[in-house]
Amino acid sequence: MTSETASLTGRLLLATPSLSDPNFARSVVLVLNHDDDGALGVVVNRPLDVDVAAVLPGWQRFATAPGKLFQGGPVALDSALGLVAVPGDRPDPQGVRRVFGSVGLGSVGLVDLDTPPESIVAELSGLRIFAGYAGWSAAQLEGEIAEGAWFVLPAEARDAFSDAPQDLWGDVLRRQGGDLALVASFPSDVSMN
């Protein structure tokens, strides 16, 4: 990241139709950190068919619908990150580090998933658990954006906690209007067009 390149922390990366990497096809990545050393984010539209209780039993009843574990990305799939929404301008609850706006993390810089959930959840308006994350080394993400692999778009507070995460890619594109709204109807397999 150079002085003329702004941090993408808090922005969404939407895979363009040309991105063929199966880890990221039609993905929506919320960027949690972006600086000169690289970038880190989580894919917010990939719920797994695994209840949160399978990995963190005490957290299931507090997880935002659909109450599933999400695949946050291809890096460190054996780790869990908790993404939370803290309403208003309240101080960070115990075990939470706010990243931007109302979004905070637990464990490895996010919500401390070892903290009893009851001591945190009363102060939250959303909770998602991610297995793994997406990561880029220094200048790697900027190169991928320059190659046309990602649309960089503003995030809305509800994006990370959408009740229809499987529809998020198209929903975010449609709300942009213009040409990007048309991309939302781009077929996932152009040979079927």
Side-chain angles (χ1 to χ4, degrees):
M1 190 168 75
T2 63
S3 58
E4 61 268 355
T5 305
S7 173
L8 299 177
T9 300
R11 306 279 303 223
L12 293 177
L13 302 175
L14 271 72
T16 66
S18 66
L19 183 58
S20 59
D21 179 341
N23 290 305
F24 294 108
R26 294 203 179 220
S27 66
V28 178
V29 178
L30 177 61
V31 180
L32 302 173
N33 186 57
H34 179 232
D35 58 26
D36 289 335
D37 296 326
L40 177 138
V42 289
V43 178
V44 295
N45 66 329
R46 295 262 169 89
L48 299 169
D49 193 23
V50 177
D51 288 338
V52 168
V55 291
L56 295 165
W59 291 87
Q60 180 67 49
R61 66 186 174 128
F62 305 111
T64 302
K68 301 292 184 183
L69 187 65
F70 279 64
Q71 184 171 345
V75 181
L77 290 171
D78 59 345
S79 67
L81 284 91
L83 191 64
V84 298
V86 181
D89 295 328
R90 297 179 185 171
D92 294 351
Q94 175 190 353
V96 173
R97 181 180 63 84
R98 218 179 285 228
V99 180
F100 59 88
S102 66
V103 175
L105 291 172
S107 177
V108 192
L110 312 176
V111 171
D112 183 355
L113 297 174
D114 294 324
T115 301
E118 292 79 10
S119 66
I120 298 174
V121 295
E123 301 180 58
L124 304 179
S125 61
L127 168 70
R128 285 271 159 83
I129 307 296
F130 295 86
Y133 62 91
W136 294 266
S137 60
Q140 181 183 3
L141 179 57
E142 291 82 352
E144 291 180 12
I145 292 169
E147 291 171 358
W150 300 101
F151 296 121
V152 179
L153 300 171
E156 293 184 0
R158 67 179 183 250
D159 291 337
F161 306 98
S162 170
D163 56 358
Q166 67 283 357
D167 299 330
L168 194 58
W169 187 81
D171 291 346
V172 171
L173 287 168
R174 277 188 286 283
R175 76 177 182 228
Q176 305 309 308
D179 290 342
L180 282 178
L182 295 174
V183 175
S185 60
F186 196 88
S188 56
D189 182 355
V190 292
S191 68
M192 301 300 288
N193 195 9

